[in-house]
Amino acid sequence: MAEELSDFIEAAGLLEYDPKTITNIYKGHPLRLLRRLWQTLIPIGLFLVGVLIDKYTGQLNNKDKAKSRAKEFTELLVELGPAFIKGGQALSTRPDIIPKVVLEELAQLQDQLPGFDGELAMACIEEDLGVSVEEIYKNLDKEPISAASLGQVHKGTLRTGEKVAVKVQRPGLREQITLDLYIVRNIALWLNKNIKLIRSDLVALIDELGKRVFEEMDYLNEAANAERFKNLHKLNLKIAVPMIYKKATSRRVLTMEWIEGVKLTNLKAVKNLGIDPDEMVEIGVNCSLQQLLEHGFFHADPHPGNLLALNDGRLCYLDFGMMSEVTRESRIGLIQAVVHLVNRNFNKLSEDFVELGFLAKDVDLKPIIPAFESVFTTALEVGVKKLDFKVVTDDLSNVMYKFPFRVPPYYALIIRSLITLEGIALSVDPDFKILGAAYPYFAKRLMEDPDPQLRQSLKEMIFDGKVLSWNNLEGLIKSAGSQADLNIEILIEQILDFLFSKNGGILRKEIVEIIVRKMDAISWNSIQKLNGRLPKILRSRRIGIRENLKEKKKLLLLKQAPIKELIGIVKSLPGFKIQIILKHIPRIIQEPEGRKMGIKVAKGITEKSVIRLIKVAAGVPQ
């Protein structure tokens, strides 16, 4: 038992991934290395020989044969153990390295392995926590309720009465994963030096994987991630995160609150809770977008087992071992890329890919721009809200494989997260589109965020050159308004900011013209009504001439239709009250451009009144 519990790597003092230290450790223990080389290189070598034979005989050109080999490769990774499973999962989001047929199989890779002996799990807990199981837990099931590549989960109750889930790491896991990473890293070094066709830095990929797997193996790190996630979403009453019991948690043992819930993919069970599955999906999508674009700290593995619907209507996140961060610059860059995609500005979109780290700054973008155009133009014909995310990512994968793209680690995890989330959503609603569900959030961010770069993106979105696009502006406000947590006050502030900015001249002009027309129409209509009530002897025939009134009214309504519709959309936004507008009147009066608008309105009404008076005097029909 003691030998099974011992961890050679931890005993060597390695708690974080460090390639140099790992190399030094195994230089002094060649037998451990040779034994694992025999276990891994023989099956890998046999598989590669088979693939090479298929390639030279032309069999790989057959789609069924290629798919069969891809499936065989995935099964081989599972047989080789946790490090290879994690490696396969990492490669499943790297279209710059892996052909599409293999990507599809790797996407199905499940992180599930048989559990290990329950007695051994109890011994692990006692060794790591330094006390007997009975001192901490009132009861603890020896049989695990679930098992994955890194560990397994047992159900129990603390001495204080709280029901808990206890995650126990596989004994010897750290050594097995470290040794496999060392072997694969050396293979990657050889490939980078000798196979010139491989343009991506495979060693950097392995190092990134090693860093993440070491973080995932440290349950203290997972506990800290869970608490950080819980704190970031504490104001979201629709999100739940299990409590962590720190006194019963260590590097290899994690004790957390037991959560009673059902998987989102179990539609019948979700409905039996009295919950609308579509609502759960909407909560999940909005939370994921908030993680990605607002907090920059996101759950990179939201598979069905990690998302539970609770009977109180909340969505609970589990398993915080695989988390990732996105810098503010990258978050803004992603939003800008969406704007350029919607506007079909493929020149700018290619530049976004450079800024986001997908392409080197010295790469020639000329051949890439038409490739983007080819991928996105057809897809965009149905509208951004109906874009099929999987189809677009598959087509984009082909472009990335053809041109010198390098997928940044954070982006690979974002794609993995969104594809997984879309898979869950599709099981609830077969017509679900992740980009359609995400677009209102993007619109809300564009309308609310004061960041100068996003202000520029907003301008690009609603202007077609120098012409204001009413359709784009209305669509953006309508999409933003579909968000339940839209801050109407901030939105009104942003609209006013834009109205009084140097870019708002066209909008100011439109508003002035509409107010002048409306006031003129009201005053003239009042004069006509008054004239009609006078005794016939006192009535003015010239004022009473109304042959073209209906036509003029139609023209007036046509001219003010866009802004009238826009005002209607703003009025229909959740939380809109006329008091919010009234509250901003002092600002409108104080703004220099606001005062100028007032002067122009007065001037316009006066001019129209004088012209009308002259026409009436001359007998011209009004």
Side-chain angles (χ1 to χ4, degrees):
M1 182 76 76
E3 188 178 336
E4 288 181 275
L5 291 175
S6 65
D7 193 315
F8 166 71
I9 289 298
E10 199 160 309
L14 186 69
L15 298 178
E16 294 180 355
Y17 180 73
D18 183 349
K20 289 182 181 177
T21 304
I22 293 171
T23 300
N24 291 333
I25 289 171
Y26 286 112
K27 275 182 180 177
H29 298 83
L31 288 179
R32 288 179 179 271
L33 177 60
L34 289 170
R35 186 166 59 244
R36 187 58 181 160
L37 279 171
W38 177 262
Q39 294 169 344
T40 56
L41 293 188
I42 295 297
I44 290 172
L46 290 173
F47 172 76
L48 290 176
V49 167
V51 170
L52 286 172
I53 290 171
D54 287 347
K55 182 176 175 60
Y56 283 112
T57 57
Q59 291 188 65
L60 278 186
N61 296 327
N62 181 293
K63 286 185 179 180
D64 291 335
K65 183 64 177 178
K67 190 174 178 64
S68 172
R69 281 296 188 188
K71 189 172 183 179
E72 187 183 340
F73 174 61
T74 303
E75 290 168 352
L76 176 61
L77 294 179
V78 175
E79 290 172 13
L80 291 172
F84 289 90
I85 291 173
K86 293 292 179 186
Q89 289 175 332
L91 288 172
S92 70
T93 52
R94 293 303 301 263
D96 54 328
I97 301 173
I98 304 297
K100 182 181 172 183
V101 65
V102 182
L103 282 177
E104 289 173 352
E105 286 301 319
L106 288 176
Q108 309 300 318
L109 192 61
Q110 296 295 311
D111 187 5
Q112 293 176 337
L113 288 176
F116 56 93
D117 183 64
E119 291 290 349
L120 187 56
M122 299 302 114
C124 285
I125 292 170
E126 291 185 346
E127 177 167 290
D128 246 46
L129 298 182
V131 294
S132 67
V133 168
E134 291 75 17
E135 285 181 62
I136 302 173
Y137 307 101
K138 189 176 181 180
N139 57 68
L140 187 61
D141 296 345
K142 287 185 180 178
E143 287 300 311
I145 57 168
S146 65
S149 58
L150 300 189
Q152 61 190 32
V153 178
H154 298 258
K155 186 177 181 181
T157 308
L158 289 175
R159 277 282 169 197
T160 46
E162 296 93 343
K163 288 183 180 179
V164 291
V166 183
K167 185 151 72 167
V168 186
Q169 195 169 109
R170 289 181 181 274
L173 176 76
R174 195 176 293 265
E175 179 180 1
Q176 185 183 347
I177 281 188
T178 304
L179 191 48
D180 287 346
L181 286 170
Y182 176 68
I183 291 169
V184 174
R185 190 177 191 274
N186 279 288
I187 293 172
L189 271 169
W190 185 87
L191 289 172
N192 274 356
K193 286 179 183 176
N194 297 285
I195 309 296
K196 301 301 179 186
L197 290 174
I198 299 175
R199 58 177 179 264
S200 293
D201 188 344
L202 295 180
V203 175
L205 175 64
I206 300 301
D207 286 344
E208 178 66 26
L209 172 65
K211 180 173 172 287
R212 294 201 176 279
V213 172
F214 263 69
E215 286 174 356
E216 208 174 338
M217 286 191 294
D218 184 353
Y219 289 169
L220 289 174
N221 180 65
E222 181 174 344
N225 286 341
E227 292 189 330
R228 180 182 174 188
F229 189 92
K230 189 171 189 174
N231 188 52
L232 286 171
H233 297 276
K234 63 185 176 184
L235 298 178
N236 190 339
L237 302 179
K238 291 291 186 180
I239 299 297
V241 178
M243 181 187 293
I244 304 296
Y245 294 96
K246 290 183 179 179
K247 290 183 179 178
T249 295
S250 63
R251 286 189 183 278
R252 292 183 290 182
V253 178
L254 176 63
T255 303
M256 72 193 94
E257 175 187 1
W258 178 265
I259 298 292
E260 289 287 353
V262 297
K263 293 180 181 180
L264 293 190
T265 48
N266 189 344
L267 295 185
K268 188 177 179 181
V270 173
K271 288 176 181 176
N272 286 342
L273 292 175
I275 295 170
D276 181 358
D278 289 328
E279 188 180 333
M280 283 286 104
V281 168
E282 185 180 345
I283 292 168
V285 169
N286 285 334
C287 185
S288 291
L289 291 168
Q290 192 177 38
Q291 293 169 47
L292 289 171
L293 301 175
E294 192 170 323
H295 302 312
F297 181 66
F298 69 95
H299 196 298
D301 194 21
H303 66 70
N306 287 341
L307 290 173
L308 301 179
L310 307 188
N311 58 12
D312 60 4
R314 290 183 299 163
L315 178 67
C316 184
Y317 280 79
L318 303 174
D319 193 350
F320 297 90
M322 192 183 292
M323 305 293 291
S324 189
E325 298 195 51
V326 188
T327 64
R328 178 165 179 78
E329 291 74 21
S330 294
R331 299 199 302 267
I332 289 170
L334 286 169
I335 294 173
Q336 289 176 315
V338 170
V339 170
H340 294 144
L341 174 63
V342 172
N343 285 352
R344 306 189 187 207
N345 190 335
F346 301 114
N347 287 347
K348 288 266 191 181
L349 185 64
S350 63
E351 291 171 12
D352 291 332
F353 273 76
V354 174
E355 291 300 316
L356 288 167
F358 288 82
L359 294 163
K361 293 191 176 180
D362 59 351
V363 168
D364 182 12
L365 298 178
K366 288 178 185 176
I368 295 174
I369 293 167
F372 277 160
E373 198 168 348
S374 173
V375 167
F376 293 119
T377 299
T378 305
L380 283 167
E381 284 175 4
V382 297
V384 68
K385 291 187 179 181
K386 294 181 181 178
L387 271 179
D388 191 314
F389 186 63
K390 176 131 186 6
V391 170
V392 171
T393 50
D394 284 350
D395 289 344
L396 194 56
S397 294
N398 293 330
V399 174
M400 287 186 173
Y401 193 68
K402 182 179 178 182
F403 294 100
F405 281 81
R406 298 171 303 181
V407 177
Y410 76 89
Y411 177 80
L413 289 173
I414 288 173
I415 291 298
R416 173 195 169 106
S417 176
L418 292 179
I419 287 176
T420 306
L421 190 64
E422 184 174 53
I424 295 171
L426 285 170
S427 70
V428 175
D429 176 10
D431 297 322
F432 180 84
K433 297 287 184 285
I434 188 78
L435 292 176
Y439 187 68
Y441 186 89
F442 279 98
K444 174 174 169 281
R445 281 299 302 274
L446 274 178
M447 297 300 294
E448 288 186 356
D449 202 309
D451 184 278
Q453 289 174 281
L454 291 185
R455 296 290 88 212
Q456 177 61 29
S457 294
L458 176 61
K459 180 188 170 187
E460 289 179 27
M461 191 75 171
I462 61 178
F463 275 90
D464 185 6
K466 291 186 177 181
V467 179
L468 178 69
S469 171
W470 285 105
N471 286 339
N472 285 1
L473 181 58
E474 288 168 14
L476 202 62
I477 293 176
K478 191 177 279 187
S479 292
S482 67
Q483 290 280 291
D485 61 342
L486 177 73
N487 190 321
I488 187 72
E489 295 229 15
I490 292 177
L491 180 60
I492 297 296
E493 283 284 351
Q494 296 290 9
I495 291 173
L496 290 177
D497 285 346
F498 176 72
L499 177 65
F500 297 126
S501 70
K502 66 176 183 179
N503 298 318
I506 296 172
L507 185 56
R508 290 195 297 273
K509 184 182 176 185
E510 292 264 5
I511 290 172
V512 166
E513 287 180 0
I514 286 167
I515 291 173
V516 168
R517 289 193 207 108
K518 192 76 174 173
M519 294 297 290
D520 178 62
I522 289 169
S523 63
W524 181 240
N525 191 45
S526 299
I527 291 170
Q528 286 184 316
K529 280 183 180 179
L530 181 62
N531 186 57
R533 288 173 184 168
L534 291 172
K536 283 187 179 181
I537 196 166
L538 297 176
R539 285 181 198 167
S540 168
R541 291 181 182 178
R542 291 174 180 176
I543 291 175
I545 298 170
R546 301 177 63 167
E547 292 86 355
N548 297 324
L549 186 61
K550 285 184 180 178
E551 298 305 319
K552 285 181 177 290
K553 196 170 182 180
K554 280 183 185 177
L555 184 62
L556 178 66
L557 289 171
L558 186 65
K559 285 181 177 179
Q560 69 185 38
I563 198 162
K564 188 175 180 182
E565 190 174 334
L566 179 61
I567 291 168
I569 291 168
V570 172
K571 281 183 177 179
S572 68
L573 293 176
F576 177 83
K577 293 177 184 176
I578 194 65
Q579 288 86 344
I580 295 173
I581 301 293
L582 296 175
K583 196 167 94 174
H584 289 88
I585 287 177
R587 177 191 170 182
I588 295 170
I589 295 169
Q590 290 168 12
E591 285 279 355
E593 291 296 341
R595 290 198 293 271
K596 286 179 185 177
M597 287 175 72
I599 293 167
K600 286 178 181 177
V601 167
K603 185 180 176 184
I605 293 170
T606 304
E607 286 176 354
K608 279 194 171 288
S609 299
V610 170
I611 291 169
R612 193 180 294 281
L613 187 63
I614 293 168
K615 285 183 176 181
V616 167
V620 178
Q622 298 299 299

